[in-house]
Amino acid sequence: MIRIAVVSGKGGTGKTMITAALSCLLKGSLVLADCDVDAANLSLVLSPRLIRTDPFMGMKAAVIDPDLCTECGACREHCRFDAVEIDDGAYQINPSRCEGCAVCTLVCPADAVTMQPRQTGVIMYSEVDRGHLVHARLVPGAGNSGLLVHAVKKTALQEDGDAEKFLVDGPPGTGCPLISSVSGMNAVIVVTEPSVSGLHDMKRVITVCRQFRVKIFVVINRYDLDVTKTEETEAYCLEESIPLIGKIPFDPAVISAVRAGVPVTDQGQGPASLSICGIADTLEKELVNLAAR
Amino acid sequence: MKLAIASGKGGTGKSMTAANLAFTLASDRLVSLVDCDVEEPNLHLFFPSKTTPRDVTLPIPVIDESVCTYCGKCGEFCRYGAISVLPKKILFFADLCHSCGGCTLLCPEHAIHEVPKRIGTLSVSTPLPGLKLVTGTLDSGSPLAVPIIHAVKLEAESDPLVILDTAPGTSCPVVEALEGCDACILVTESTPFGLHDLELAVDVTKRLGIPAAVIINRSDGKDEETLRFCEQQDLPVLLTIPFSREIAAVQSRGDLLCRAYPEWQKAFRLVFSKAESLMEAKS
Amino acid sequence: MKVCITAQGALLESKVENRFGRAPYFIIADTETGSFEAVVNPFADGSGGVGPKAANLIIEHQAGALISGLLGGNAKAVLDMAGVEQFVYQAGGTVSDALDAFKKNTLDRVK
C-alpha cells in the first residue's frame, strides 16, 4: 500500500478539492481519510453513503465527585491548566481545559477525583464511488485532535488495509494533528498558493514533514494570481530539491464544482481540471519510482 | 475591549481582516493586534518591523540522579511518556513534557526540581505609531500551542482595544484565543466548505457566549445560502468583499487592501462600529 | 537472543509495521529456540510519548535487539541506554522475512 497525505500549512489553499479530484484519478483500489477533523470537508464533495458511526474516546479527563469533595481547593491550586472551576461554590473540571495529567488525583486528600474516559468525537465509515472514506467530527473545543487523526487513519487501515493506495486529506497548521497525519505515510503533497503567507507556511510545514523522512511533493494552486510569488515558490523547490508536480491555474469552475458537491474533474475539461489530471499522471510515475526504491 | 477574528475554515481571509481593521483604526487610536495563530503566524508579514523575540517558557523537571533511587513512580505517573526509568538510569524527554508538575510533587526522594524550557517565542513591535503587534510563534514540532496563546493574550491584557487573530478550526487553541473576548467576527466564503465550517465556528462562539457577526470574503455574488444561514442564526453580516484579481494580488504580495486602496478604510471603520454595538448589546 | 519485530498482526506471517511506538504488535522471537511471543502494544493508540513507553515495554520483555521501519529519537535514547540494538527493515515483507534478514546480518543498524 502506498500512503499519501495532502497537506498545506496555510488553510484554504485548495487541499480538499485536490484530494477529492485525485481520489477519482489515481489508479488501483483506494481508501480515503479526512484528517482535517476540526473542519472536515471532503465528504461535501464525495457524496458518501454512511455505513457506520463509532464513538471516539479522547484522553481520560479528571472528574470530581461532588459527594466526596471537601472543597479544600488543592486541585485548583495545583492544576497548571486552569481546568478546575468553581460554579456556585462547587468544584468542577472544565473538560475542554483538562490536559489529563492527573495531578489533581495526586493532591486530592479526599480521593474525590478520578480519571474518566470521555467521548470527544465520532468516526464515520462511509462508501464513496472510489472505495471507502473515513471521516470524523470533533466536539467543538475538544482537545486531542491529533489522537482522533490517529484513530481515523487506523480505522481506514483496519477496514481497507488491502487497498493499493491510502489518500489522506490533512489538516492545516504544523501542530499535533498535522504530525499525526504525516506519521507513517510514504509521501506528502504540499498544496501552496502564491502569496507571502502561502510561501511562509509551506516552508514551516516542509520542515515538520522532513522529520518523518517522507517523500515531499509540491503543488502550487491558483498559480496565475501572482506570477512573481509563483516564481519564488518554484525557486525554493528547486533549491531544496523538492519536486514541483503541478501548477493549477485559477478557475471559477472549482467553486462551481464545490457548490455542486462534486470534484472539479467531474465538471468537464476546464483549465484546473486538466491541470489536476496532469498532476495525477506525474504523481503515478513518481510513486512507481518511490515503490522501486 | 477585545475583538476576535475567527473562522472555521482556513484561508478565508481572517488575518487579512484583522490586519486591515487594525491598520485602519490605528490612524486615530491605539490598537493592539494579537496573532493567536501560533502554529502559522502571518500578521507580521503584513507589518514588517524590527523586533526582539523573547522566549516563552514552561517549567520542566530536572532529576537529581545522586538522590534518585530509580523507584519508577514518576515514569509510571507521567501520562505523556516523558520519563523513562530504567534499573540504573532515568531519561527525561522535554519535548513530550506538558509541564503538569506531577513528577515533582510525587517524587518520594524530592529528587526533582523544575527549570524553565522554551516552547516558542513572543515578540512585540510597533510597526505603525498607533499599532502594537504581538506575535506568538510555536517552535516547530512542539504540541503546546495553548500556553503560547495564553502568553500573547496576557501581553495585551490591559490594552484599550485588542484585535485577536485566531487559528482556523474549532479545537482547543481556538477556544483558548476566544475565551474572554467581547465579540467575534467570523470570516467566511460562500461555498459549501465555508458554510459547513462557519456552522461549526458559530457553535463554538455560542457555547462560549460571545456575540458573533460575519464577513463574507471573496464573494462571487452567489451568497444566498450563507445569507440565509446568517439570518436564521441572527448573525449580522458586517461586510461582503467581492472576489477580484486586484484584491487577490494585493494579498499575495503581502500588502493591505486599506493601504493599497484607501477607499476601503471607510468599510472597515463601519465594520468596527457595528462590532462595537454588538459588544455593547452584550454588556 | 530475543529479537523484537514491530508487526501489523500477531503472527510470523504478519507484515512488519513501519512505525515503532504505534505498532499494533511486538513479536518477540527467540533466535536460539525458534519460539516467539506476540505482545499487544497497549500504547498503539496512546496520545503521546508512545515511543519511550513502548521502548520500556520491550525492555521488560528482555529484547536484545529491535527491528522496525522508523524509530523516533526518544525511543532510541531509551533503547540505547538499555543496550538494545536497533535495525532498520523497510522491504515491506513479513516478520519471518525480517527475522531471516537479521540472521543473515543484512540489516542496517540505526545510527
mmCIF file of all heavy atoms in Angstrom, chain A residues 234-242:
data_model
loop_
_atom_site.group_PDB
_atom_site.id
_atom_site.type_symbol
_atom_site.label_atom_id
_atom_site.label_comp_id
_atom_site.label_asym_id
_atom_site.label_seq_id
_atom_site.Cartn_x
_atom_site.Cartn_y
_atom_site.Cartn_z
ATOM 1 N N GLU A 234 8.747 28.362 -6.908
ATOM 2 C CA GLU A 234 9.461 27.421 -7.780
ATOM 3 C C GLU A 234 10.960 27.413 -7.455
ATOM 4 O O GLU A 234 11.583 26.349 -7.392
ATOM 5 C CB GLU A 234 9.256 27.799 -9.250
ATOM 6 C CG GLU A 234 7.857 27.482 -9.750
ATOM 7 C CD GLU A 234 7.620 27.959 -11.185
ATOM 8 O OE1 GLU A 234 7.699 29.177 -11.419
ATOM 9 O OE2 GLU A 234 7.359 27.113 -12.045
ATOM 10 N N ALA A 235 11.502 28.604 -7.242
ATOM 11 C CA ALA A 235 12.936 28.714 -6.940
ATOM 12 C C ALA A 235 13.255 27.990 -5.630
ATOM 13 O O ALA A 235 14.267 27.286 -5.513
ATOM 14 C CB ALA A 235 13.340 30.181 -6.852
ATOM 15 N N TYR A 236 12.356 28.136 -4.648
ATOM 16 C CA TYR A 236 12.562 27.468 -3.362
ATOM 17 C C TYR A 236 12.573 25.950 -3.546
ATOM 18 O O TYR A 236 13.440 25.253 -3.010
ATOM 19 C CB TYR A 236 11.460 27.893 -2.379
ATOM 20 C CG TYR A 236 11.466 27.102 -1.088
ATOM 21 C CD1 TYR A 236 12.347 27.422 -0.056
ATOM 22 C CD2 TYR A 236 10.607 26.017 -0.912
ATOM 23 C CE1 TYR A 236 12.371 26.680 1.114
ATOM 24 C CE2 TYR A 236 10.618 25.269 0.246
ATOM 25 C CZ TYR A 236 11.500 25.605 1.268
ATOM 26 O OH TYR A 236 11.515 24.865 2.421
ATOM 27 N N CYS A 237 11.605 25.436 -4.318
ATOM 28 C CA CYS A 237 11.513 23.988 -4.533
ATOM 29 C C CYS A 237 12.779 23.468 -5.214
ATOM 30 O O CYS A 237 13.297 22.408 -4.859
ATOM 31 C CB CYS A 237 10.298 23.634 -5.378
ATOM 32 S SG CYS A 237 8.749 23.942 -4.531
ATOM 33 N N LEU A 238 13.264 24.228 -6.194
ATOM 34 C CA LEU A 238 14.453 23.832 -6.937
ATOM 35 C C LEU A 238 15.661 23.760 -5.996
ATOM 36 O O LEU A 238 16.407 22.786 -5.969
ATOM 37 C CB LEU A 238 14.695 24.863 -8.047
ATOM 38 C CG LEU A 238 15.624 24.448 -9.177
ATOM 39 C CD1 LEU A 238 14.989 23.311 -9.967
ATOM 40 C CD2 LEU A 238 15.891 25.631 -10.108
ATOM 41 N N GLU A 239 15.787 24.806 -5.200
ATOM 42 C CA GLU A 239 16.907 24.899 -4.267
ATOM 43 C C GLU A 239 16.889 23.753 -3.243
ATOM 44 O O GLU A 239 17.921 23.190 -2.893
ATOM 45 C CB GLU A 239 16.778 26.230 -3.524
ATOM 46 C CG GLU A 239 18.049 26.743 -2.914
ATOM 47 C CD GLU A 239 17.797 28.142 -2.357
ATOM 48 O OE1 GLU A 239 17.470 29.059 -3.135
ATOM 49 O OE2 GLU A 239 17.898 28.288 -1.134
ATOM 50 N N GLU A 240 15.684 23.398 -2.802
ATOM 51 C CA GLU A 240 15.546 22.359 -1.785
ATOM 52 C C GLU A 240 15.386 20.963 -2.400
ATOM 53 O O GLU A 240 15.109 20.007 -1.674
ATOM 54 C CB GLU A 240 14.322 22.659 -0.908
ATOM 55 C CG GLU A 240 14.401 23.983 -0.152
ATOM 56 C CD GLU A 240 15.394 23.935 0.997
ATOM 57 O OE1 GLU A 240 15.498 22.880 1.656
ATOM 58 O OE2 GLU A 240 16.076 24.945 1.221
ATOM 59 N N SER A 241 15.482 20.871 -3.722
ATOM 60 C CA SER A 241 15.298 19.601 -4.448
ATOM 61 C C SER A 241 13.974 18.915 -4.113
ATOM 62 O O SER A 241 13.919 17.718 -3.877
ATOM 63 C CB SER A 241 16.440 18.622 -4.160
ATOM 64 O OG SER A 241 17.657 19.238 -4.343
ATOM 65 N N ILE A 242 12.896 19.713 -4.063
ATOM 66 C CA ILE A 242 11.560 19.156 -3.837
ATOM 67 C C ILE A 242 10.832 19.184 -5.177
ATOM 68 O O ILE A 242 10.692 20.251 -5.777
ATOM 69 C CB ILE A 242 10.780 19.984 -2.790
ATOM 70 C CG1 ILE A 242 11.521 19.958 -1.445
ATOM 71 C CG2 ILE A 242 9.358 19.456 -2.628
ATOM 72 C CD1 ILE A 242 11.008 20.960 -0.451
#
